[in-house]
Amino acid sequence: MSNTTTRPLADIMRPNTIDEIVGQQALLGENGIIRRMVDAHKLSNLLLWGPPGCGKTTIARALANSVDMDFVPMSAVFSGTADVKKTMDIARTNAALGRGTLLFIDEIHRFNKTQQDTLLPYLEDGTVVFIGATTENPSFNLNNALLSRCHIGVLEPLDTSDLLTLIERAETHIGKKLPLTADAKTHLAEISDGDARFLLNTVEYLSSAKFKKNLSSTDLDSVIQKRAPLSDKTGDEHYNMISAVHKSLRASDTDAALYWVARMMTAGQDPMYIFRRLTRFAMEDVGLADPNAMQLALAAWQVYERMGSPEGDLALTELVIYLGTAPKSVSVDRAKMSSYAVAKQTSNLMPPKNILNAPTRMMKDLGYGKGYIYDPDTESGCSGQNCFPESMSRQSFYHPIERGFEREIKKRLEYWNTLRARAKRDTSE
């Protein structure tokens, strides 16, 4: 007896050939790497990297069909080295009978280094054609040895037009129209966020439910659970989001920064992590161009800790807007890096004796504190005395820019440098 009635619609409608697959034209189009493999009737080891529901498993199955190979699926979540070796024994038997084997491992990034290394000899001798699927950046999560033996195919989320095509196909398959207005169908495609599996699961539910009228977009929101936003808190997507926040703020694109922070918050990211990164931005990218930025970052962080959501969300939004519209300067960060570099190179040099305390008679006899000038007592408030090691030439680490508060700081530094030059000239005379 067929189990078709118990299989999910997404599985029943899975394409059998490359030509039936919707989207991913960069890989499946005329010049795509997968299309070239199919046309040559020769498959190569392949890593498919893309978000959930974009067609990684479907492509692997279709590739096996295209060259008439046995398709052996495996999940790195539930399988281990022993399972790989058993599969290789089967593949060798198939090879002796003149039949090839395509080994597909989903979530390949879940394999540790040893498990990944187990695959290498079988890829080397051609026991199997290997296709791995991952939602994580392969360059961060897979061994270089495995990467070097595979082509990498990057899959994109399906766009709205692709998903509308899938809705039409589903209606044809089930033999009736969905109880949705035209706008609601588009809305369903949009809220699926590129995930074909979520879309088809929703279509299956809607096709079996009984509604008195076609649902509008608003009605649809009330009867289905929207696709949960990506909430990867440690992987590639996590770092993509925070990178987008930083780069948007740095470009003074406040609206884009608000969008990416909203994406992180609605995906369930830890607000404390976001505040930490924004506070870092206030110090690193705004710096003394606006000294208030760091204070506001700390204050907004504290408000959220005390009040939580939703009230604290306003503090977060206020901080993003402030940082986005603040003048930007990396002068402080560069001063830190350059001063640390010089400090490491001259770590054996003592401070000049004139600025050292002399709490004992011996230290006074050695010249500690001799010639020290108490700067606030001078007419200008700056004596110009040397504070660098005596054997070291004067260094310049901090270079303020002509933006924001640093314009004022620059004037002060120029004034003090003039006084130092005058003091040095008077001493030499």
Side-chain angles (χ1 to χ4, degrees), residues 351-373:
K353 291 181 180 180
N354 62 294
I355 63 171
L356 295 180
N357 289 331
T360 67
R361 179 177 296 278
M362 183 192 76
M363 296 173 77
K364 288 181 180 180
D365 291 342
L366 290 173
Y368 281 39
K370 184 178 180 181
Y372 173 69
I373 304 172

Side-chain angles (χ1 to χ4, degrees), residues 167-168 171-172 174-180 185 206-207 214:
I167 292 176
E168 292 177 2
E171 288 179 328
T172 300
I174 62 182
K176 63 179 180 180
K177 295 290 184 180
L178 293 177
L180 300 175
K185 286 183 182 179
L206 293 172
S207 66
N214 284 346

Side-chain angles (χ1 to χ4, degrees), residues 62 89 102 113 120 135 155-156 179 225 244 246 276 298 306 315 330 358 370 408 424:
D89 290 339
L102 189 153
K113 183 181 185 302
L120 300 181
T135 56
L155 283 72
E156 301 293 338
Q225 173 116 22
H246 270 249
R276 177 178 176 274
L298 292 172
R306 291 188 176 186
V330 294
K370 184 178 180 181
E408 178 61 29
K424 184 177 181 180

Side-chain angles (χ1 to χ4, degrees), residues 14 43 48 56-65 68-74 87 90 94 99-106 129 131:
R14 191 186 298 276
L43 304 187
L48 298 175
K56 297 184 291 293
T57 303
T58 296
I59 288 175
R61 286 183 179 275
L63 278 173
N65 292 337
D68 195 26
M69 298 179 74
D70 279 359
F71 180 76
V72 181
M74 187 180 295
T87 298
I90 296 172
N94 285 344
R99 187 167 181 81
T101 302
L102 189 153
L103 171 62
F104 173 71
I105 302 183
D106 198 14
V129 170
I131 296 183

